Amino acid sequence: MGLIEIIVLSILQGLTEFLPISSSAHLILPSQILGWDDQGLAFDVAVHAGSLFAVVLYFRQEVGRMAVSWFASLFGKHDSESKLAWLIILGTIPAGLAGFIFKDFIEGNLRTATVIAVTTILFGLLLWWADKYGKQTKGEYQVSIKEVLVIGFAQMLALIPGTSRSGITITAGLMMGLTAKAAARFSFLLSIPLIFAAGGYQTIKLSQQVMPVDWTAIGLGTVLSFISAYACIHYFLILVEKVGMLPFVIYRLLLGGILIAFFI
């Protein structure tokens, strides 16, 4: 991988992991337009690790409190933090199981420009609807088990390229009455176990391969994805509280139109 390729793909991964605009839609553009080869499994692990470090560091206080309270809940001591921790675990299960069962099928059959263009537009419109008509009265600590299951099952749809994991979970959260900021925060917290599990799975696959590793690409990819993901989380939470999701909806519609115009 060349330096420009490393920089562009690392920053794209860090940004699109948490913005509701679809990482797969963005990663297909450089490869199709510039003819770049697949970046390889080792680089994927590196940039996902950078994104994981970013979200854990940004929410370190919340994660720390939830971890302590969750452990205490095993001994019968429950509070709002342990409840949220258990709900995040519950919300992760549907997507985790679906990914284990359907990942190979989806990667072999649905990673096409047509699918990505359609889902980018379709779920962009659904995000607009949820942002416009959702009640937006609750914080993330007020979600119920039923509402978390809805968000968790919605997260399964993120396995379809172009959907956007953060986009569909934020959409579901808005439909369940969460404020835009609370839906985004819950989506980011919900990403932690899923990114960790996906990274662990990729690491196991990587350990079974015998090939040289470009440590420069790995190190730079991890750092750049960390920086871009951390900045993305911070400014996204500020932005959605002020203007909502409309800018991202418009962006998705434009991106879907570009994909249709150039690749379909």
Side-chain angles (χ1 to χ4, degrees):
M1 295 176 66
L3 181 60
I4 298 299
E5 193 173 347
I6 294 170
I7 293 172
V8 171
L9 292 177
S10 300
I11 293 175
L12 274 178
Q13 170 60 39
L15 292 175
T16 58
E17 184 70 44
F18 299 110
L19 290 179
I21 56 176
S22 171
S23 60
S24 53
H26 286 78
L27 294 176
I28 194 177
L29 287 173
S31 62
Q32 293 288 336
I33 295 174
L34 302 174
W36 289 351
D37 294 328
D38 183 86
Q39 60 265 34
L41 188 57
F43 188 77
D44 277 344
V45 171
V47 293
H48 278 90
S51 299
L52 179 62
F53 294 153
V55 69
V56 170
L57 181 63
Y58 191 88
F59 290 103
R60 58 192 178 278
Q61 294 182 352
E62 291 89 339
V63 171
R65 291 196 301 267
M66 285 191 294
V68 171
S69 294
W70 179 82
F71 185 76
S73 73
L74 299 177
F75 300 93
K77 298 179 180 179
H78 301 280
D79 58 17
S80 60
E81 299 290 350
S82 64
K83 176 190 173 184
L84 185 60
W86 280 111
L87 290 177
I88 288 171
I89 294 172
L90 178 63
T92 304
I93 293 173
L97 290 175
F100 180 77
I101 297 171
F102 298 112
K103 187 176 186 298
D104 291 339
F105 171 81
I106 290 170
E107 288 189 351
N109 297 275
L110 298 182
R111 293 192 67 84
T112 66
T114 301
V115 170
I116 292 173
V118 170
T119 52
T120 297
I121 293 172
L122 176 63
F123 289 108
L125 292 172
L126 190 61
L127 176 61
W128 167 81
W129 186 90
D131 188 41
K132 184 175 178 61
Y133 295 104
K135 293 181 180 179
Q136 299 199 30
T137 58
K138 296 190 294 189
E140 63 267 31
Y141 286 91
Q142 296 173 285
V143 293
S144 66
I145 293 177
K146 178 182 177 180
E147 291 163 346
V148 165
L149 285 174
V150 170
I151 297 172
F153 279 103
Q155 188 170 226
M156 291 170 57
L157 296 173
L159 294 168
I160 303 173
T163 301
S164 170
R165 191 212 62 81
S166 61
I168 195 62
T169 51
I170 290 172
T171 298
L174 291 169
M175 289 180 173
M176 295 299 101
L178 292 174
T179 66
K181 185 174 183 179
R185 285 174 57 86
F186 189 79
S187 171
F188 296 155
L189 291 170
L190 195 61
S191 74
I192 294 174
L194 204 60
I195 297 175
F196 181 81
Y201 173 74
Q202 289 178 318
T203 301
I204 292 172
K205 287 179 63 177
L206 182 63
S207 68
Q208 297 171 346
Q209 299 180 5
V210 180
M211 61 179 61
V213 176
D214 185 347
W215 291 108
T216 300
I218 296 300
L220 188 57
T222 302
V223 171
L224 289 177
S225 64
F226 166 79
I227 293 172
S228 58
Y230 192 93
C232 169
I233 295 169
H234 178 72
Y235 289 108
F236 178 71
L237 290 173
I238 294 174
L239 185 62
V240 296
E241 195 170 23
K242 293 182 177 180
V243 300
M245 299 293 169
L246 185 59
F248 304 99
V249 172
I250 294 172
Y251 183 85
R252 286 185 69 121
L253 297 180
L254 291 173
L255 179 61
I258 290 172
L259 288 170
I260 290 173
F262 284 94
F263 302 119
I264 298 177

